[in-house]
Amino acid sequence: MAVSKGSEPWILMVTARSPTNIAVIKYWGKRDETLILPINDSISVTLDPDHLCTTTTVAVSPAFDSDRMWLNGKEISLSGGRYQSCLREIRRRAGDVEDEKKGIRIRKVDWERLRVHIASYNNFPTAAGLASSAAGFACLAFALAKLMNIKEENGELSSIARQGSGSACRSLYGGFVKWVMGNDASGHDSIAVQLANESHWDDLVIIIAVVSSQQKETSSTAGMRESIDTSTLLHYRSKVVVPRRILQMEEAIRNRDFQSFARLTCADSNQFHAVCLDTSPPIFYMNDTSRRHVLLYSL
Amino acid sequence: MAVSKGSEPWILMVTARSPTNIAVIKYWGKRDETLILPINDSISVTLDPDHLCTTTTVAVSPAFDSDRMWLNGKEISLSGGRYQSCLREIRRRAGDVEDEKKGIRIRKVDWERLRVHIASYNNFPTAAGLASSAAGFACLAFALAKLMNIKEENGELSSIARQGSGSACRSLYGGFVKWVMGNDASGHDSIAVQLANESHWDDLVIIIAVVSSQQKETSSTAGMRESIDTSTLLHYRSKVVVPRRILQMEEAIRNRDFQSFARLTCADSNQFHAVCLDTSPPIFYMNDTSRRHVLLYSL
C-alpha cells in the first residue's frame, strides 16, 4: 500500500490545462462505439489555451473512498463507460510515484485501489458545439497521466483520451493535428499526430463567434449514431470525399495557403452539417444566425 | 395569312388552369441547361388546382405586333431562353385552327407570323419554393397547345413544358407523376408519365404551410448549377441514392403505404436540403421556422 512518513492522510494533486480544438476536416461517425474508432481521418487546429480551455485538477489520497468528479462546480457521475474506460486504461499504465518532500511513495500496484477526485472547469460554454468534451477528456487523461507517472509513447495517451471523447485525442497537441483513423480493431493505431506546431503558421487567427450558448439538442454521440444508421451520404463522404480532402488540407497547411485552407474548412464544415440534415430525423446544429454567418465567411 | 370574314381585327383566346406539384423524390441538377435535362428521375404529387394553381389566358390576334406576357398583372420580358424555347417548340407543332362561329381560319404556316399575348396569374406566392414556375410553364404550354390546336402524343407537351421549367412537365398530369430523366441528348425521352391518377389515393391530404412568402435568395436554376459544380455529394445522390428511392417510392404509391411514402418524402426532402448545404457557397432554403416544422413532421 502507499505509504507516507506522517500519520496524517496525505493528498497528491496535479493541475493541467487543455485547449479545445476545432476540426477543419470533420470527424462524424464511429466504426466502433466503445473504443471510439472513427470512419475517417480528421484534422483540427488546436486553439490557444489562454482562450478556450479546460482546467482540471486531479487528486489522490488514501482518504478518498471512491472516484468522484465535479464539472464546473457540480458533481457528475463517473459511472459512464467513457470515464470508466479512461480511468481503467490510465490505471493500467500507472507507474511508481515518489514525492520525497512530502514523503509519499506510491507503487504501481497501489493505483488499482487508490481513488481519485477530479475537478474540471471549462472557461467557455459546455456542450454547445465548442468541443468541451475534447478539451475535457484530453485534460483528464493528461492530468491523470502526470499524477500516475505514466511514460507516454507513440501517441498512447491520445488513444486513451480518444476513448473518453473521440476528438479529445487531437487536443493533446498544439498547432495542426491529424487524428489518423487507423485500421486495427483494437484501436491502438487510431491516434493523433501533430502535422505542424503552433509556430508554423503564427499569423493565422481563429475567431470564435458564439451564436448560442445553449446546449445542443442532439449530443454528438447520438447524432453520429443516427447518421451512421440513416444517412446515405455519410458513407460516401467518409470513403470518397474525406480521404481526398485530407491530402488537400495537409498540403494547404504545409504551404500556409490560406485560400485553400479556408475553402476546404468551409466546404467540410458545410458537408458535415449536410450529413446531419441527411440523417433521419434530421439534426440541426445551425440556426438562422449561424446560417447568416456561414454565408458571410464563405464569400 | 389568317383570315376573318369581318373587317374588324379578331382575337382568339384560350384560358387554362394548371396546378403546382410537390416533388416527393426531388429533382436537383441538370445534365443539359438549355434543354433542361435532369441528372435523375423525380416523382411528384400534383396538387388540387382549386388550391394552388396558375391561370393563364393566351390570345392571338393579327392586331398584336409582338409576343408579350403579363405575370400577376405586371408585364415581364419574354426574351429569356426558356420562354423562347417554349414558344418556338409550340409554334413548330401548331396546326390549322378554324372557328366557324367567329369566322376565323388560321393555317399552320400562319402561326410563325402571328403574335400572342399571355396573361398569367398565380393564386399563391411566386418564386417562394412552391413551384410557381412548374405550374406556370405547364399552363403556358397547355394553353398555347390548345390555342394552336396541337395534337399531343407520347408526352411531347411535357417535353416542351420541361424546356420552360424542368418540373413543369410533371404538372401536366394529375395524381402521382414521374419525370423520367431519359438518356437521349435531344431530350425527347425526358418526359413526364403518370404513375397513378388523382383518385388512386384519395384520402391522402397534402397540407402546404407557408413559413415565408419571400422570394428565394437563390433561384433554382442558379442553385442547381452551383450544386452541380461544387457539391461532391450530389453526384452520389443522383447516381446511387435516387434510383433506389424511385423504386421504393413507386412501390409505396402503388400500395398506398403511407409510412414508407412519408419516410421517403422526408428523407429525400432533407437530402435535397443537405446537398444545398454541401454547395459552395452553401444554399439555404430553410429557416428556423421550417426547421422546427421538419423536426415535427419527421417524428
Side-chain angles (χ1 to χ4, degrees), chain B residues 61-68 115 117:
Chain B
S61 168
F64 297 161
D65 54 9
S66 64
D67 292 331
R68 294 174 72 183
R115 297 296 139 212
H117 282 189

Side-chain angles (χ1 to χ4, degrees), chain A residues 217 232-233 236-237 241 244-245 267 270-271 273-274 277-278 280-282 284 286-288 291 294-295 298, chain B residues 217 232-233 236-237 241 244-245 267 270-271 273-274 277-278 280-282 284 286-288 291 294-295 298:
Chain A
E217 280 174 30
T232 50
L233 301 181
Y236 180 76
R237 161 176 166 73
V241 183
R244 219 162 40 203
R245 286 188 176 165
N270 291 333
Q271 185 166 93
H273 288 291
L277 195 42
D278 186 50
S280 296
F284 298 92
M286 291 206 284
N287 60 22
D288 280 353
R291 184 174 77 93
V294 164
L295 274 174
S298 61
Chain B
E217 280 174 30
T232 49
L233 300 181
Y236 180 76
R237 161 177 164 73
V241 183
R244 218 160 43 203
R245 286 188 177 165
N270 291 332
Q271 186 167 91
H273 289 293
L277 195 43
D278 186 50
S280 296
F284 298 91
M286 291 205 283
N287 60 23
D288 280 352
R291 184 172 78 94
V294 164
L295 275 173
S298 62

Side-chain angles (χ1 to χ4, degrees), chain B residues 43-103:
Chain B
I43 294 178
S44 59
V45 184
T46 299
L47 300 186
D48 188 325
D50 282 345
H51 300 142
L52 273 66
C53 77
T54 297
T55 304
T56 300
T57 295
V58 291
V60 63
S61 168
F64 297 161
D65 54 9
S66 64
D67 292 331
R68 294 174 72 183
M69 176 165 180
W70 291 260
L71 176 60
N72 297 328
K74 212 183 129 193
E75 184 159 12
I76 61 164
S77 165
L78 284 174
S79 64
R82 288 155 171 242
Y83 285 109
Q84 289 301 313
S85 292
C86 279
L87 288 168
R88 186 186 60 241
E89 295 300 315
I90 289 276
R91 279 197 168 100
R92 252 177 53 188
R93 290 164 176 83
D96 295 334
V97 172
E98 198 157 351
D99 186 321
E100 296 222 359
K101 230 167 66 188
K102 286 193 180 172

Side-chain angles (χ1 to χ4, degrees), chain B residues 32-285:
Chain B
D32 183 313
E33 283 227 18
T34 311
L35 292 171
I36 310 195
L37 302 177
I39 57 170
N40 56 252
D41 293 347
S42 54
I43 294 178
S44 59
V45 184
T46 299
L47 300 186
D48 188 325
D50 282 345
H51 300 142
L52 273 66
C53 77
T54 297
T55 304
T56 300
T57 295
V58 291
V60 63
S61 168
F64 297 161
D65 54 9
S66 64
D67 292 331
R68 294 174 72 183
M69 176 165 180
W70 291 260
L71 176 60
N72 297 328
K74 212 183 129 193
E75 184 159 12
I76 61 164
S77 165
L78 284 174
S79 64
R82 288 155 171 242
Y83 285 109
Q84 289 301 313
S85 292
C86 279
L87 288 168
R88 186 186 60 241
E89 295 300 315
I90 289 276
R91 279 197 168 100
R92 252 177 53 188
R93 290 164 176 83
D96 295 334
V97 172
E98 198 157 351
D99 186 321
E100 296 222 359
K101 230 167 66 188
K102 286 193 180 172
I104 300 167
R105 209 178 73 220
I106 307 173
R107 284 165 309 155
K108 204 169 156 52
V109 292
D110 297 333
W111 287 108
E112 285 301 324
R113 277 167 306 182
L114 283 168
R115 297 296 139 212
V116 292
H117 282 189
I118 304 160
S120 195
Y121 177 75
N122 296 326
N123 72 349
F124 61 95
T126 300
L130 294 167
S132 56
S133 64
F137 276 102
C139 204
L140 178 64
F142 187 80
L144 286 172
K146 286 289 164 207
L147 181 72
M148 300 188 189
N149 192 25
I150 294 174
K151 308 287 176 236
E152 226 263 294
E153 266 175 2
N154 306 320
E156 205 182 23
L157 199 55
S158 82
S159 168
I160 296 171
R162 190 202 73 225
Q163 294 175 59
S165 172
S167 53
C169 67
R170 296 187 312 232
S171 267
L172 285 163
Y173 302 92
F176 300 85
V177 183
K178 177 176 171 180
W179 174 11
V180 183
M181 63 178 284
N183 293 305
D184 203 90
S186 73
H188 80 276
D189 57 352
S190 188
I191 57 171
V193 292
Q194 190 181 53
L195 296 177
N197 70 19
E198 51 275 33
S199 62
H200 167 70
W201 195 348
D202 57 7
D203 59 342
L204 181 76
V205 174
I206 294 181
I207 296 167
I208 306 282
V210 178
V211 296
S212 166
S213 56
Q214 284 204 303
Q215 287 218 356
K216 296 181 282 191
E217 280 174 30
T218 309
S219 73
S220 301
T221 300
M224 285 187 204
R225 189 183 303 133
E226 287 160 20
S227 291
I228 284 274
D229 288 348
T230 65
S231 168
T232 49
L233 300 181
L234 174 58
H235 305 279
Y236 180 76
R237 161 177 164 73
S238 68
K239 284 192 179 57
V240 180
V241 183
V242 173
R244 218 160 43 203
R245 286 188 177 165
I246 287 281
L247 296 176
Q248 294 169 336
M249 183 57 90
E250 290 187 89
E251 197 187 339
I253 291 169
R254 202 161 42 239
N255 302 331
R256 299 183 199 86
D257 168 359
F258 184 73
Q259 199 162 17
S260 301
F261 178 81
R263 185 182 52 76
L264 282 163
T265 300
C266 292
D268 207 66
S269 170
N270 291 332
Q271 186 167 91
F272 149 67
H273 289 293
V275 165
C276 289
L277 195 43
D278 186 50
T279 300
S280 296
I283 305 161
F284 298 91
Y285 290 127

Side-chain angles (χ1 to χ4, degrees), chain A:
Chain A
M1 188 58 208
V3 295
S4 120
K5 283 180 191 154
S7 55
E8 288 300 297
W10 49 266
I11 186 164
L12 207 61
M13 284 198 278
V14 167
T15 294
R17 199 174 62 152
S18 291
T20 182
N21 72 76
I22 301 295
V24 289
I25 301 293
K26 299 284 188 192
Y27 150 54
W28 194 254
K30 301 180 179 78
R31 62 180 202 272
D32 183 312
E33 283 227 18
T34 311
L35 291 171
I36 310 193
L37 302 177
I39 58 170
N40 56 250
D41 293 348
S42 54
I43 294 177
S44 59
V45 183
T46 300
L47 300 187
D48 188 325
D50 283 344
H51 301 142
L52 274 65
C53 77
T54 297
T55 305
T56 300
T57 297
V58 291
V60 62
S61 167
F64 297 162
D65 54 10
S66 64
D67 292 331
R68 295 175 71 184
M69 177 165 179
W70 291 259
L71 175 60
N72 297 327
K74 211 182 128 192
E75 182 158 12
I76 61 166
S77 165
L78 283 176
S79 65
R82 290 156 172 241
Y83 285 110
Q84 290 302 313
S85 293
C86 279
L87 288 167
R88 184 186 62 242
E89 294 300 314
I90 289 275
R91 278 196 169 100
R92 252 178 52 191
R93 291 165 177 83
D96 295 334
V97 172
E98 197 157 354
D99 186 320
E100 297 222 358
K101 231 166 65 189
K102 287 192 179 168
I104 300 168
R105 211 181 71 220
I106 308 173
R107 285 166 311 154
K108 204 172 156 51
V109 292
D110 298 333
W111 287 109
E112 285 301 324
R113 278 168 303 181
L114 283 168
R115 297 296 138 211
V116 292
H117 283 188
I118 304 159
S120 194
Y121 176 76
N122 296 326
N123 71 349
F124 61 95
T126 299
L130 294 166
S132 56
S133 64
F137 277 102
C139 204
L140 178 64
F142 187 79
L144 287 172
K146 287 287 164 206
L147 181 72
M148 301 188 188
N149 192 25
I150 293 173
K151 306 288 176 236
E152 225 265 292
E153 265 175 2
N154 306 320
E156 205 180 22
L157 199 55
S158 82
S159 169
I160 296 171
R162 190 202 73 228
Q163 294 176 58
S165 171
S167 53
C169 67
R170 297 186 312 230
S171 266
L172 285 164
Y173 302 92
F176 300 84
V177 183
K178 177 178 172 179
W179 174 11
V180 182
M181 63 179 283
N183 294 304
D184 204 272
S186 73
H188 80 276
D189 57 352
S190 188
I191 56 170
V193 292
Q194 190 180 55
L195 296 175
N197 69 19
E198 50 274 35
S199 62
H200 167 70
W201 195 348
D202 57 8
D203 59 343
L204 182 76
V205 175
I206 293 181
I207 297 166
I208 306 282
V210 178
V211 295
S212 166
S213 56
Q214 285 202 301
Q215 285 217 356
K216 295 182 281 192
E217 280 174 30
T218 309
S219 73
S220 301
T221 300
M224 283 187 206
R225 189 183 304 133
E226 288 161 18
S227 292
I228 284 273
D229 288 348
T230 65
S231 168
T232 50
L233 301 181
L234 175 58
H235 304 280
Y236 180 76
R237 161 176 166 73
S238 68
K239 283 191 180 57
V240 180
V241 183
V242 173
R244 219 162 40 203
R245 286 188 176 165
I246 287 281
L247 296 176
Q248 293 169 336
M249 183 57 91
E250 290 187 89
E251 196 187 340
I253 291 169
R254 201 159 44 236
N255 301 331
R256 301 181 197 87
D257 168 0
F258 184 74
Q259 198 161 17
S260 301
F261 177 82
R263 184 181 53 76
L264 283 163
T265 299
C266 292
D268 207 66
S269 171
N270 291 333
Q271 185 166 93
F272 148 66
H273 288 291
V275 164
C276 290
L277 195 42
D278 186 50
T279 300
S280 296
I283 306 161
F284 298 92
Y285 290 127
M286 291 206 284
N287 60 22
D288 280 353
T289 309
S290 41
R291 184 174 77 93
R292 278 190 297 273
H293 181 64
V294 164
L295 274 174
L296 278 174
Y297 86 8
S298 61
L299 292 178

